[in-house]
Amino acid sequence: MHRLVYISTAKWLFDARELEDLLINAKRNNLRDNVTGMLIYHDGCFFQVLEGPEKAVRDCFQRISKDLRHSGTIVLLDEPAASRQFGGWQMACRTFSGLTSLQKRQFIDLNMLADAVSKGLTMQDAPKTKAVLLAFLSAFRDLDVQAA
Ligand code: FAD
């Protein structure tokens, strides 16, 4: 089992319809490939967790990286995982307004983290920031994340 987490910047501000189009395709592919995960969209910024067999996750991320609808992809986490965290969701989606206040605060921290990573900091250099990321992910465990 493998988990990859990244953030990226949308090429334009997505509306609900564009997000829905993206998700329909993503869920279909992810069901086929045994990939699960979660996508958060906020103000032109994507945050996505992909989990599943390592090859399937890497193939999926390779396609996503080439997608012209976004750019500036920054990988925050890319490592083996003991189990799935979003096993029930081909790709759950939330917008910022759907997060709890704790999750919102942690999401802002993640944006700061991404800025640091883009300047050359790695997760190995920053165990505290990795802990923030893992705490953010575990805050979603057992929540009823709705598919958009
Ligand atoms: P098709 O759907 O036939 O797409 C072919 C090409 O058209 C691709 O190059 C695609 O990038 C492009 N494309 C498709 N729709 C649009 C559109 N509306 N506007 C502009 N270009 C378009 N895919 C997954 O499989 N799983 C995911 O979890 C996933 N998450 C994503 C998260 C983000 C933030 C983004 C931007 C994309 C995501 N995608 C995901 C889509 C992924 O980037 C590929 O587009 C998709 O996997 C290709 O699917 P397909 O082989 O069925 O090709």
Side-chain angles (χ1 to χ4, degrees):
M1 190 60 50
H2 201 80
R3 180 171 301 129
L4 190 148
V5 181
Y6 74 88
I7 63 162
S8 65
T9 307
K11 282 285 176 68
W12 61 88
L13 291 180
F14 272 49
D15 61 25
R17 173 75 194 275
E18 289 166 323
L19 204 52
E20 178 66 18
D21 282 352
L22 188 158
L23 282 167
I24 288 171
N25 203 20
K27 285 179 192 171
R28 187 195 63 220
N29 290 346
N30 294 352
L31 180 64
R32 177 195 66 201
D33 300 336
N34 199 15
V35 169
T36 52
M38 187 252 296
L39 177 74
I40 296 175
Y41 175 74
H42 174 57
D43 201 18
C45 181
F46 290 110
F47 170 92
Q48 189 172 30
V49 182
L50 299 168
E51 55 185 23
E54 180 172 359
K55 184 174 183 320
V57 168
R58 294 209 182 284
D59 288 351
C60 183
F61 182 61
Q62 200 174 22
R63 289 197 310 272
I64 292 171
S65 302
K66 290 182 191 152
D67 197 311
L68 299 176
R69 289 170 282 184
H70 67 162
S71 62
T73 305
I74 297 172
V75 174
L76 300 176
L77 208 63
D78 182 358
E79 61 183 27
S83 60
R84 286 179 197 265
Q85 193 157 351
F86 304 97
W89 303 305
Q90 265 69 54
M91 189 49 60
C93 183
R94 277 207 169 173
T95 54
F96 192 68
S97 60
L99 302 180
T100 66
S101 49
L102 173 65
Q103 289 166 343
K104 279 179 185 165
R105 279 204 304 281
Q106 288 173 328
F107 191 61
I108 290 162
D109 287 346
L110 287 173
N111 285 320
M112 287 162 56
L113 165 63
D115 190 43
V117 171
S118 71
K119 289 177 182 138
L121 187 77
T122 69
M123 285 293 170
Q124 280 66 35
D125 300 328
K128 261 171 78 177
T129 44
K130 182 174 177 182
V132 170
L133 175 60
L134 294 177
F136 178 68
L137 293 185
S138 61
F140 283 87
R141 187 167 291 148
D142 300 330
L143 285 185
D144 180 23
V145 178
Q146 295 175 340

